[in-house]
């Protein structure tokens, strides 16, 4: 299963699939998304942690958001306590999934026998390392053959939410295809503030402030009205029923989000 910033209609996706099929013709290839914003390791880490646990035990994930390709950053494979496998640059992309699924073992991808046999490019390790190593694991090659064992992986500091007094503070984690803004603020944060379904919430996102009801689902407000809702992974989502809040506000990932119960 791929997760990359190669683009949703990209020759690079096709090429990496070719490399995987060459290594293991019977492989099944799918994707969480190939539309991670370019170089955006933080967004990649969040989306991977949100989607990967839904896949069955034994799934191997080929994760490539790699602005440091060709540098001294390591290439690694992670086996989690949940029974999932992840092949990725060691740049923090696996930070959150390692926390959520537990680290069983980490290996550096040093066994060149598992790499693509042709000359290794300095700018396309997805084709030459990550795709072939993913295919090898999917084929049943023992995890111990990936390479040298490591004690830890690179972790990055990810934006979180904070509850102070009557206010929850966080940031926009991502926008979705409908223009809904998923935040780092959680349902538990709202509980701490005493905010319940049906309450009106003061919302600040970046430079924009407004009030919106906290509801169960989008259609509980009239078309075109703003709302907040808990999305499927338990994060607060700011949205417009059948509208596009991201376009309305002109705000993007990393924008500051402040929520408090309206008086």
């Amino acid at each position: 299963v791929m997760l990359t910033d190669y683009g949703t209609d990209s020759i690079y996706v096709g090429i990496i699939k070719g490399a995987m099929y060459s290594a293991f013709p019977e492989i099944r290839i799918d994707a969480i998304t190939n539309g991670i914003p370019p170089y955006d390791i933080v967004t990649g880490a969040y989306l991977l942690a949100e989607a990967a646990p839904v896949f069955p035990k034994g799934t191997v994930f080929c994760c490539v958001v790699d602005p440091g390709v060709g540098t001294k950053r390591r290439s690694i494979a992670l086996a989690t306590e949940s029974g999932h496998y992840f092949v990725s640059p060691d740049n923090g992309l696996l930070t959150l999934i390692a926390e959520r699924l537990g680290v069983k073992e980490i290996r550096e991808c040093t066994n060149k026998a598992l790499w693509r046999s042709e000359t290794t490019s300095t700018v396309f390790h997805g084709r030459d390392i990550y795709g072939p190593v993913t295919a090898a694991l999917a084929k049943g090659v023992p995890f111990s053959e990936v390479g040298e064992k490591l004690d830890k992986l690179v972790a990055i500091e990810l934006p979180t939410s904070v509850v102070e007094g009557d206010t929850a503070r966080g940031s926009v984690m991502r926008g979705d295809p409908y223009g809904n803004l998923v935040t780092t603020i959680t349902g538990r944060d709202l509980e701490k503030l005493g905010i319940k379904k049906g309450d009106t919430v003061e919302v600040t996102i970046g430079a924009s402030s407004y009030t919106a009801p906290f509801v169960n689902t989008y259609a509980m407000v009239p078309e075109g009205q703003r709302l907040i809702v808990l999305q499927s992974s338990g994060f607060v989502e700011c949205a417009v029923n059948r509208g596009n809040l991201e376009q309305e506000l002109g705000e993007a990932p990393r924008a500051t989000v402040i929520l408090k119960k309206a008086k």
Side-chain angles (χ1 to χ4, degrees), residues 184-254:
T184 59
I185 298 172
T186 66
R188 184 171 296 181
D189 295 332
L190 296 188
E191 290 176 5
K192 291 178 181 179
L193 297 178
I195 297 175
K196 304 181 297 296
K197 299 288 178 61
D199 287 343
T200 300
V201 180
E202 294 181 13
V203 180
T204 299
I205 303 177
S208 301
S209 296
Y210 57 91
T211 60
F214 177 32
V215 293
N216 277 319
T217 190
Y218 314 99
M220 292 186 71
V221 302
E223 184 173 340
Q225 183 173 320
R226 295 176 182 178
L227 61 112
I228 68 168
V229 67
L230 285 185
Q231 54 89 254
S232 57
S233 296
F235 293 104
V236 174
E237 181 179 292
C238 302
V240 177
N241 182 24
R242 301 196 185 187
N244 189 312
L245 186 65
E246 188 171 17
Q247 288 182 357
E248 285 187 13
L249 301 184
E251 298 292 351
R254 314 290 189 275

Side-chain angles (χ1 to χ4, degrees), residues 74-78 86-89 106-112 114-115 129-130 133-134 137 143 145-150:
R74 299 178 299 189
S75 298
I76 62 169
L78 164 69
F86 301 83
V87 181
S88 170
I106 309 164
R107 297 266 173 179
E108 186 172 3
C109 299
T110 53
N111 181 3
K112 293 186 178 181
L114 301 183
W115 296 10
I129 301 176
Y130 304 127
V133 173
T134 296
L137 292 174
F143 190 76
E145 293 189 18
V146 168
E148 300 170 6
K149 193 172 183 179
L150 299 173

Side-chain angles (χ1 to χ4, degrees), residues 115-157:
W115 296 10
R116 183 170 173 264
S117 58
E118 289 81 358
T119 301
T120 303
S121 167
T122 58
V123 296
F124 200 178
H125 286 179
R127 178 195 66 186
D128 297 339
I129 301 176
Y130 304 127
V133 173
T134 296
L137 292 174
K139 188 177 182 179
V141 170
F143 190 76
S144 58
E145 293 189 18
V146 168
E148 300 170 6
K149 193 172 183 179
L150 299 173
D151 293 328
K152 60 182 180 179
L153 49 75
V154 169
I156 55 174
E157 188 171 336

